[in-house]
Amino acid sequence: FPLLECLSSVALASGKGFQPYAKVIFPQCIKLIQANLKTLKEQRKLGEEKLKRDSKKSNGYQRFEGADSIICCVELAGCIYRSCGHLSHQLADPAAILRTLFECMNDENPNIRQSAMAWLGDITCVAPHFIGSYFPDIVRAILRNLDPRYPCVCSNAAWAVGEAAVRLGPRGIRPFAEAIMRKLIPVIVNPRLDPNLLHNVAITISRMGLVCPDDVCAHLEHFGKSWCQNLVGIDQPREAEMAYRGLCNVVSKRPQAMLSAGIFMALCDTIASYSTPSQELHRIMKNLLHSFRAMLHNRWSELFGHCNPELRYHLACVYDLH
């Protein structure tokens, strides 16, 4: 496994310079995954009694020695996609790539599924056209993996579907938007779940909101507060810009869903927490806040008054809410 991990690091560091080597390594990587998946299936068929002698039980699935090899190979495949971009799917038979991806996404081992969801996200980032034709089947695998019982799997699945939303656009994602939101909402409203998972799901909801806001805003009053709270603290400027644009896009569709004191305070706090928006996003957030004030008329002072004095002062200064 150290060799596979080393190759992953080299691929990422080399970028497009890794392409000549990827022509040899990537097809072998796919073949190795397939061989280990076949062995894994054979091992499982031997029955539970034999597996008890040869393996350890972990998290409800039978562990076998080839699983780690599959995971390392899948992670290497994702690194090659990130390095070689859209040319990666030309390095091996596309049918073999998809068949391997589907098998990994649907495996009973959550660690394999976790890596497969990350690989899917990598493919989507650099070659969305490659998955577009197969997205109805892919989205079914994503929905199965949006399961908070496996936080890391769920987080990667959320990231993958968020990438798909912005890369495929409304035409590609909207037929599945309602089903996706039915999976995401129970996750985002559960404060007992891992904070990193909630953060990633909040970003994914924002990405969905960029391309199909009407589908996202349908149940906004049920998850708006949790969504706002879990958007705070995005490190990457591009991610933050996209997330806040998605938030404003959705809220502007159904502002009345944000009118309870708790939800509105969460929205104000989230807007205030982003200190470096672009000029365009600053204009969008300013217009959103002013639209609330115009819509509420005399109720504005009452609702805005629920925010603490420091928050009110900050928003008044930055967004001209005097």
Side-chain angles (χ1 to χ4, degrees):
F1 308 138
L3 175 61
L4 295 171
E5 293 171 350
C6 178
L7 285 171
S8 296
S9 299
V10 171
L12 287 177
S14 303
K16 294 190 182 301
F18 194 73
Q19 285 181 7
Y21 310 101
K23 292 178 181 179
V24 177
I25 294 171
F26 189 72
Q28 293 300 317
C29 185
I30 297 298
K31 289 179 181 178
L32 188 55
I33 295 171
Q34 291 175 336
N36 278 287
L37 284 170
K38 182 179 178 181
T39 303
L40 176 57
K41 288 181 180 179
E42 291 171 352
Q43 289 286 330
R44 287 169 177 162
K45 287 180 181 178
L46 292 177
E48 187 172 350
E49 290 304 315
K50 180 173 176 55
L51 284 174
K52 283 182 179 178
R53 297 195 300 270
D54 298 336
S55 310
K56 295 179 180 179
K57 271 192 173 182
S58 178
N59 295 329
Y61 63 89
Q62 295 284 356
R63 182 178 180 84
F64 108 109
E65 59 185 9
D68 289 338
S69 176
I70 294 171
I71 292 164
C72 287
C73 286
V74 170
E75 291 175 353
L76 174 57
C79 290
I80 291 174
Y81 260 93
R82 276 178 275 171
S83 298
C84 299
H86 67 280
L87 299 175
S88 299
H89 66 273
Q90 300 174 8
L91 300 174
D93 176 18
I97 296 174
L98 285 167
R99 184 170 63 251
T100 304
L101 176 63
F102 274 108
E103 284 193 57
C104 291
M105 289 193 298
N106 291 296
D107 194 84
E108 67 181 56
N109 184 323
N111 295 323
I112 293 176
R113 298 201 310 274
Q114 176 186 339
S115 296
M117 286 293 116
W119 184 19
L120 173 61
D122 291 328
I123 295 173
T124 305
C125 286
V126 300
H129 56 280
F130 181 59
I131 69 162
S133 301
Y134 307 95
F135 196 65
D137 293 323
I138 288 173
V139 80
R140 281 192 283 271
I142 291 174
L143 291 172
R144 284 193 292 271
N145 283 290
L146 286 172
D147 183 348
R149 293 177 300 172
Y150 305 99
C152 293
V153 182
C154 187
S155 186
N156 283 358
W159 173 63
V161 80
E163 289 292 345
V166 296
R167 309 283 176 173
L168 299 180
R171 185 174 180 179
I173 201 71
R174 187 159 192 187
F176 315 101
E178 183 180 350
I180 292 168
M181 290 305 300
R182 280 202 303 266
K183 286 286 190 175
L184 295 177
I185 291 173
V187 176
I188 197 64
V189 299
N190 188 345
R192 297 187 299 275
L193 294 177
D194 178 71
N196 290 327
L197 171 59
L198 294 174
H199 188 59
N200 286 340
V201 168
I203 292 172
T204 296
I205 292 173
S206 287
R207 290 183 164 210
M208 293 288 294
L210 279 173
V211 295
C212 44
D214 291 324
D215 298 281
V216 176
C217 74
H219 304 287
L220 184 57
E221 62 272 18
H222 299 303
F223 69 89
K225 181 178 179 180
S226 300
W227 179 25
C228 290
Q229 290 171 334
N230 285 289
L231 274 182
V232 175
I234 302 174
D235 295 330
Q236 300 178 2
R238 179 180 172 275
E239 286 281 4
E241 190 81 7
M242 191 178 296
Y244 278 80
R245 282 176 181 264
L247 173 67
C248 293
N249 205 28
V250 172
V251 172
S252 66
K253 290 285 185 178
R254 278 195 71 213
Q256 65 273 20
M258 307 293 286
L259 293 183
S260 75
I263 300 177
F264 186 73
M265 285 171 58
L267 175 65
C268 290
D269 190 56
T270 301
I271 290 175
S273 71
Y274 189 25
S275 59
T276 57
S278 66
Q279 288 185 347
E280 177 62 15
L281 180 56
H282 180 276
R283 182 190 65 79
I284 291 170
M285 293 196 291
K286 178 179 178 179
N287 287 345
L288 181 65
L289 291 170
H290 279 257
S291 71
F292 272 105
R293 186 167 68 174
M295 178 179 68
L296 290 167
H297 298 293
N298 295 333
R299 283 194 59 208
W300 166 256
S301 296
E302 175 189 347
L303 191 61
F304 195 48
H306 286 287
C307 300
N308 64 62
E310 293 82 3
L311 178 57
R312 294 200 305 271
Y313 178 77
H314 174 83
L315 292 174
C317 292
V318 175
Y319 294 104
D320 193 23
L321 289 172
H322 296 288

